[in-house]
Amino acid sequence: MGTPEFPDLGRHCYVADCQQIDFLPFTCDSCHQVFCLEHRSYIKHNCPKADRQNVTVVICPLCAKGVHLIPDEDANITWERHVNTECDPSNYEKATKKKKCPVHGCKEILTFSNTIKCRDCMADHCLKHRFGPDHKCPGPKKPTAGFPFSGLLSRSRKEVSKPNHAPAASSSKWSNSFLTAASSFRASAEASVAKLSSELSQKWQIAKDGAGQSSSSGSRNGQLEECPQCGAKFSSVTTLVDHVEKVHEKGGNRAGVKKATIDACPKCSKGFRDPVALVEHVERDHGGTSRT
């Protein structure tokens, strides 16, 4: 058997009438004997253990479940063990009852290929009644009015008081309530930001108007003028006004704020927004002349 180079190559067929040498033999998975190409099947070599690979399933008439018959075991013993342990007669109706279209008068059986789920009511219908008007779809449930978290709070209290009952709220209701609450919070935040911006604009106008009316007595005594925006010190009101216009109004006039011009007194450096008020101040306090 074999060749001088490969002495163990090839096996003889196990069938007594054949005994053919085969270099690619077949091993039976039941009796574990070696056969040639012609006698490789169970029937050809009359395998005594062929029934071990046989898979026989019997449907139980009580619960509609499959019962696997073991080859080396009596079928009556297998059946009795199933009835005493796994058999549940209440499962028969669930397994045998076929799902139908819920539309009144429709007897169409729903299968994998003809079932359409409505996106609004989330119910399965046949192809004929897949549209909302055809199955009288009530539409998606509207969110409750009022405070968005009030419904969730009341629902959680009910669940705590009745722990044995299953919760009625689904994940979609929770997500809708959360989105509504987020929208309300965002609207209130935007309103607060707008109000804060208006208040800051008003304070800016007040600070700008008061920049020209700094105390002149402090300038006479050698005190410095302070910028209301950045706190910088300046020797005169004119220098302070130039600083505000160049630094704090570099981007242009703000919306709703008009640019103001301040004239300084040449004697005491006191600022005036109205030129007439400056002339009256010079005539009254400095002897009626505005020349240095």
Side-chain angles (χ1 to χ4, degrees):
M1 182 173 63
T3 62
E5 293 80 5
F6 302 98
D8 297 332
L9 183 62
R11 298 285 297 275
H12 287 281
C13 182
Y14 187 73
V15 178
D17 297 338
C18 181
Q19 292 294 320
Q20 179 183 358
I21 184 172
D22 196 332
F23 294 101
L24 296 173
F26 297 88
T27 302
C28 180
D29 56 357
S30 295
C31 61
H32 303 290
Q33 298 296 334
V34 179
F35 300 94
C36 62
L37 178 62
E38 183 181 357
H39 300 96
R40 70 183 186 278
S41 61
Y42 297 146
I43 299 175
K44 291 294 183 179
H45 67 265
N46 297 325
C47 184
K49 300 180 181 180
D51 56 349
R52 293 185 179 181
Q53 303 297 331
N54 187 17
V55 180
T56 304
V57 178
V58 179
I59 303 300
C60 177
L62 301 178
C63 63
K65 290 183 178 181
V67 181
H68 178 220
L69 299 181
I70 302 175
D72 295 338
E73 188 179 40
D74 189 4
N76 295 326
I77 298 176
T78 306
W79 174 261
E80 185 177 358
R81 181 172 61 252
H82 164 72
V83 172
N84 295 332
T85 57
E86 301 177 354
C87 188
D88 185 11
S90 62
N91 186 61
Y92 182 83
E93 185 177 358
K94 298 179 182 179
T96 57
K97 185 178 180 180
K98 297 181 180 180
K99 190 176 181 180
K100 297 183 179 180
C101 181
V103 177
H104 181 70
C106 182
K107 299 181 180 180
E108 185 73 19
I109 297 176
L110 299 180
T111 59
F112 175 78
S113 59
N114 70 339
T115 302
I116 300 295
K117 178 176 289 188
C118 180
R119 296 181 179 180
D120 295 333
C121 62
M122 304 302 294
D124 294 335
H125 299 84
C126 63
L127 295 176
K128 183 179 179 181
H129 302 98
R130 64 185 182 273
F131 297 110
D134 297 334
H135 62 264
K136 298 180 181 180
C137 182
K141 295 184 179 180
K142 298 181 179 179
T144 56
F147 188 68
F149 291 108
S150 60
L152 301 178
L153 182 61
S154 60
R155 190 181 300 113
S156 61
R157 290 179 179 177
K158 292 181 180 179
E159 293 175 358
V160 172
S161 60
K162 299 179 181 180
N164 296 331
H165 295 279
S170 60
S171 59
S172 60
K173 294 182 180 179
W174 280 87
S175 60
N176 293 335
S177 301
F178 181 78
L179 291 176
T180 305
S183 301
S184 301
F185 179 78
R186 180 178 180 181
S188 61
E190 292 178 353
S192 301
V193 170
K195 183 178 179 181
L196 180 60
S197 178
S198 177
E199 293 178 356
L200 291 177
S201 179
Q202 294 177 1
K203 290 183 178 180
W204 167 262
Q205 178 67 19
I206 294 174
K208 186 176 179 181
D209 294 340
Q213 299 179 3
S214 302
S215 60
S216 59
S217 60
S219 299
R220 298 191 194 100
N221 297 331
Q223 296 182 358
L224 302 178
E225 300 291 340
E226 183 179 0
C227 177
Q229 300 297 323
C230 61
K233 303 293 184 178
F234 299 93
S235 60
S236 63
V237 178
T238 306
T239 310
L240 173 60
V241 173
D242 294 338
H243 163 73
V244 171
E245 293 179 351
K246 293 180 180 179
V247 177
H248 300 292
E249 294 183 352
K250 190 174 183 180
N253 294 336
R254 294 190 177 182
V257 179
K258 297 182 179 179
K259 186 175 180 179
T261 303
I262 300 176
D263 297 325
C265 177
K267 296 291 185 178
C268 60
S269 300
K270 185 177 181 181
F272 296 89
R273 298 182 60 190
D274 189 4
V276 178
L278 174 60
V279 173
E280 293 177 356
H281 163 72
V282 172
E283 293 177 353
R284 183 177 64 252
D285 298 337
H286 300 291
T289 176
S290 59
R291 296 182 181 178
T292 56

